[in-house]
């Protein structure tokens, strides 16, 4: 019997596909997410919008919150560690979470290096804004990727930009003649073997979700049509007026992302979405998508 | 023989099943609405999150069409979450289709950290090649009892991991995550046999 092989780690992400992973901070919210049809929940102390508002150093959540959520729902539970904070990751692994998000939403613990994810039995998901960053994370052992977007803003524009940038990078690599791939690897800052994989298979070697700013069923449909294999919704659910309704609608929109009649049905009468921040009016220093090396 | 196999595409690893069927040389289509079951001769319910699939099956009123599909003896193959849905009794889940006489404990193998892959033996009465099969178990459900009428096609330490009753096939692992097509071919043969049965009756 072999445990923690890449196939087993990335296999769980395969099972998440076409689904919605929701940020939750309490047992009650976790149950609402499960009731709405979430494929997994991300157990947090605060949703990204509140982390943004609070400022200061954002760290791994209080373990008792994560534990309570793990025992309250039957769906898999994820938790976030800081970039490069392998000790937080060791603690989360030992606690038994199903996935670790090495996340730019928390304050980075290392300004040069990420966690060596091959050291762990628990699988990791990481964020990326472009193909080179995605392949570096996969090279470090990430078993699932997501676009970073701009978490906690409710503005989908950055998630769209990152998804398009990654797709564009894949298409360019696929079209290159073989003799150009080594230089492409150098320019991308990505492992050559993974560049070869993308060139040959025209896709990332692991599942790629979208995150960071998705807050309505229409946003979910948009990002799925752009090629996301599923979505993370952070603040968008529990900062909306009617979380259960919004969560259910986003789940249905993710399944039926290309069926306009269903999107009409699920989008009607949802109440207000999260208030949000226009990312173009944000000070550059407030961007968290730039975290990651 | 022109057959078309549908894969329930509400959530989960449905694309891998579509690819596997196509690799076997047959047509495969996504099933997102209940009326699309009319166009297919066999159905695969893929792995994914069983609670999510249950919500969507209820919401999009699949039950009557699935019951008709089952009653007309058309084969259904469930992997992992699909096995849970097809079972007769499931611990901690208030919904299942009851098409195969097995009792299931969801996620009984533990959390993700306990997920594993392992070579298993397939019952030579059904798989005469007599070659081990690499089975991938991800937060897998456990068949705690295979009741009357159920044939065991593979097991680990005496516990069934693949089973069949009439035209229902289930496994607790993920054949769609490997390149070994034996189990998909076996299911396609079940579909072909069911068509021949209808023709000859």
């Amino acid at each position: 019997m072999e445990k923690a092989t890449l196939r087993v780690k990335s296999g769980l992400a395969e099972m998440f596909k076409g689904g919605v992973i929701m940020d939750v901070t309490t047992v009650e919210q976790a149950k609402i997410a499960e009731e709405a049809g979430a494929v997994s929940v991300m157990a947090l102390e605060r949703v990204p919008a509140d982390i943004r508002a609070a400022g200061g150093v954002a760290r791994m959540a209080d373990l008792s919150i994560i534990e309570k959520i793990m025992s309250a729902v039957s769906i898999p539970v994820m938790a976030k560690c800081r970039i490069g904070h392998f000790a937080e990751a060791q603690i989360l692994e030992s606690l038994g979470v199903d996935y670790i998000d090495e996340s730019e939403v928390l304050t980075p613990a290392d300004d040069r290096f990420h966690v060596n994810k091959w050291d762990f039995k628990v699988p990791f998901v990481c964020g990326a804004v472009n193909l080179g960053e995605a392949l570096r994370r996969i090279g470090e052992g990430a078993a699932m990727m997501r676009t970073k977007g701009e978490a906690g803003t409710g503005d989908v524009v950055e998630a769209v930009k990152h998804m398009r940038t990654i797709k564009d990078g894949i298409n360019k690599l696929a079209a290159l003649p073989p003799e150009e791939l080594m230089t492409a690897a150098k320019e991308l800052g990505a492992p050559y073997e993974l560049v070869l994989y993308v060139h040959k298979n025209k896709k990332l070697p692991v599942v790629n979700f979208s995150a960071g700013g998705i807050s309505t069923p229409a946003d979910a449909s948009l990002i799925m049509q752009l090629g996301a294999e599923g979505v993370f919704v952070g603040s968008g659910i529990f900062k909306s007026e009617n979380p259960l309704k919004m969560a259910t609608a986003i789940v249905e929109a993710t399944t039926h992302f290309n069926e306009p009649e269903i999107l009409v049905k699920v989008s009607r009468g949802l109440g207000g979405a999260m208030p949000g921040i226009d990312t173009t009016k944000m000070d550059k220093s407030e961007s968290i998508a730039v975290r990651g090396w | 023989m022109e057959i078309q196999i549908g894969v329930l595409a509400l959530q989960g690893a449905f694309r891998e099943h579509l690819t596997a069927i196509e690799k076997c040389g047959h047509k495969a289509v996504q099933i997102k609405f209940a009326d699309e079951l009319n166009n297919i001769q066999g159905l695969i319910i893929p792995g994914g999150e069983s609670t999510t699939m249950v919500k969507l099956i209820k919401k999009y009123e699949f039950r009557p069409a699935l019951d008709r599909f089952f009653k007309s003896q058309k084969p259904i193959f469930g992997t992992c979450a699909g096995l849970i849905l097809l079972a007769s009794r499931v611990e901690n889940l208030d919904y299942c289709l009851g098409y195969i006489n097995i009792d299931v404990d969801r996620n009984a193998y533990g959390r993700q950290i306990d997920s594993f892959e392992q070579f298993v033996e397939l019952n030579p009465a059904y798989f005469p090649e007599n070659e081990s099969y690499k089975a991938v178990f991800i937060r897998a459900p456990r068949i705690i009892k295979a009741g009357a009428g159920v044939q065991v096609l593979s097991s680990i330490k005496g516990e069934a991991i693949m089973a069949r009753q009439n035209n229902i096939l289930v496994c607790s692992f993920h054949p769609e995550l490997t390149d070994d097509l034996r189990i998909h071919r076996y299911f396609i043969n079940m579909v072909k046999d069911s068509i021949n049965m209808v023709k000859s009756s």
Side-chain angles (χ1 to χ4, degrees):
Chain A
M1 187 197 290
E2 301 167 81
K3 290 186 178 181
T5 60
L6 184 58
R7 181 151 58 184
V8 164
K9 287 174 165 179
S10 61
L12 181 57
E14 302 282 346
M15 298 310 134
F16 291 147
K17 283 191 300 190
V20 184
I21 299 167
M22 301 182 191
D23 281 2
V24 298
T25 58
T26 63
V27 165
E28 189 198 5
Q29 289 183 356
K31 286 186 170 160
I32 291 172
E34 189 174 45
E35 171 63 28
V39 291
S40 173
V41 288
M42 177 79 69
L44 296 170
E45 210 164 298
R46 287 175 290 187
V47 294
D50 290 336
I51 291 175
R52 232 174 231 293
V57 176
R59 311 178 178 92
M60 172 180 77
D62 182 329
L63 299 185
S64 63
I65 295 177
I66 302 172
E67 274 178 317
K68 278 181 199 151
I69 290 170
M70 282 168 64
S71 50
V73 295
S74 72
I75 55 178
V77 176
M78 299 187 173
K80 287 186 196 292
C81 76
R82 285 180 263 177
I83 288 174
H85 206 314
F86 53 84
E88 281 186 353
Q90 287 161 352
I91 292 166
L92 292 172
E93 177 177 67
S94 181
L95 194 68
V97 301
D98 295 293
Y99 241 94
I100 294 177
D101 183 2
E102 186 186 17
S103 178
E104 69 284 359
V105 169
L106 305 182
T107 312
D110 193 315
D111 66 352
R112 290 192 63 209
F113 305 109
H114 283 249
V115 171
N116 177 21
K117 292 161 278 283
W118 297 113
D119 276 350
F120 289 79
K121 293 191 179 77
V122 63
F124 281 74
V125 55
C126 287
V129 300
N130 56 41
L131 182 61
E133 190 175 19
L135 296 181
R136 286 195 293 280
R137 296 296 84 80
I138 297 165
E140 292 159 358
M144 177 179 183
M145 291 304 305
R146 56 173 174 76
T147 60
K148 286 183 182 169
E150 198 52 65
T153 62
D155 188 349
V156 80
V157 65
E158 294 298 306
V160 166
K161 189 200 287 174
H162 301 158
M163 189 53 73
R164 282 194 187 277
T165 306
I166 290 171
K167 283 273 151 189
D168 194 44
I170 292 173
N171 291 339
K172 278 188 182 143
L173 270 194
L176 288 182
E179 67 273 19
E180 294 186 16
L181 292 174
M182 184 57 85
T183 299
K186 178 183 152 200
E187 286 165 1
L188 284 168
Y192 180 62
E193 295 305 318
L194 294 176
V195 166
L196 284 183
Y197 179 95
V198 173
H199 170 71
K200 189 170 163 228
N201 297 284
K202 300 181 178 58
K203 66 186 217 38
L204 292 179
V206 301
V207 168
N208 188 26
F209 270 44
S210 180
I214 295 145
S215 42
T216 66
D219 288 350
S221 164
L222 172 69
I223 208 77
M224 289 294 287
Q225 291 189 56
L226 288 173
E229 294 180 278
V231 297
F232 283 83
V233 185
S235 320
I237 288 166
F238 292 100
K239 289 283 166 192
S240 73
E241 261 177 47
N242 189 334
L244 178 60
K245 239 179 165 177
M246 184 61 85
T248 308
I250 292 177
V251 167
E252 288 177 48
T254 303
T255 292
H256 291 292
F257 65 88
N258 53 5
E259 321 270 357
E261 305 82 17
I262 297 218
L263 294 168
V264 168
K265 263 189 219 162
V266 305
S267 300
R268 208 177 265 140
L270 288 178
M274 69 177 283
I277 302 165
D278 178 345
T279 51
T280 59
K281 304 222 165 65
M282 252 170 51
D283 191 277
K284 270 204 175 123
S285 66
E286 290 170 39
S287 166
I288 57 182
V290 297
R291 297 166 172 175
W293 347 112
Chain B
M1 189 189 328
E2 180 69 16
I3 59 167
Q4 185 157 269
I5 291 180
V7 183
L8 192 66
L10 296 174
Q11 191 272 317
F14 51 86
R15 244 169 249 117
E16 288 64 28
H17 277 295
L18 293 165
T19 309
I21 295 294
E22 281 160 5
K23 276 189 190 161
C24 295
H26 290 280
K27 212 173 157 198
V29 291
Q30 290 188 18
I31 302 294
K32 290 205 167 195
F33 296 99
D35 60 3
E36 292 166 342
L37 291 172
N38 296 328
N39 312 327
I40 56 170
Q41 289 80 46
L43 174 69
I44 297 176
I45 305 182
E49 207 34 63
S50 52
T51 48
T52 306
M53 283 195 225
V54 166
K55 305 285 171 207
L56 293 166
I57 283 173
K58 283 184 183 167
K59 180 89 184 207
Y60 289 90
E61 293 166 358
F62 269 86
R63 189 64 193 258
L66 282 170
D67 284 343
R68 278 197 302 278
F69 197 87
F70 170 63
K71 282 190 185 122
S72 63
Q73 306 281 317
K74 287 179 184 157
I76 308 177
F77 176 23
T79 60
C80 194
L83 169 148
I84 294 172
L85 291 175
L86 291 168
S88 291
R89 286 157 300 275
V90 183
E91 282 185 18
N92 306 318
L93 186 72
D94 59 0
Y95 185 95
C96 52
L97 295 164
Y99 298 166
I100 180 164
N101 187 16
I102 56 171
D103 294 13
V104 172
D105 188 0
R106 280 199 300 163
N107 308 131
Y109 287 98
R111 301 197 76 94
Q112 171 59 17
I113 209 153
D114 304 306
S115 294
F116 61 100
E117 47 185 292
Q118 179 178 337
F119 279 107
V120 298
E121 301 309 318
L122 304 180
N123 188 333
Y126 305 89
F127 296 90
E129 309 89 346
N130 220 356
E131 251 175 66
S132 302
Y133 183 93
K134 188 66 162 284
V136 184
F137 295 83
I138 296 177
R139 281 176 52 104
R142 191 167 222 147
I143 303 177
I144 48 179
K145 190 182 157 200
V150 176
Q151 302 151 297
V152 174
L153 276 60
S154 184
S155 55
I156 293 180
K157 291 180 189 157
E159 205 167 63
I161 54 166
M162 175 160 53
R164 175 178 176 178
Q165 183 175 22
N166 301 321
N167 280 327
I168 303 296
L169 178 70
V170 294
C171 59
S172 52
F173 53 92
H174 291 281
E176 76 281 11
L177 293 185
T178 64
D179 294 324
D180 193 333
L181 295 170
R182 274 181 284 166
I183 296 174
H184 284 93
R185 287 209 186 93
Y186 179 81
F187 178 65
I188 290 167
N189 284 332
M190 280 173 61
V191 176
K192 287 180 179 169
D193 288 346
S194 79
I195 295 170
N196 291 334
M197 289 274 279
V198 172
K199 274 187 190 156
S200 62
S201 66

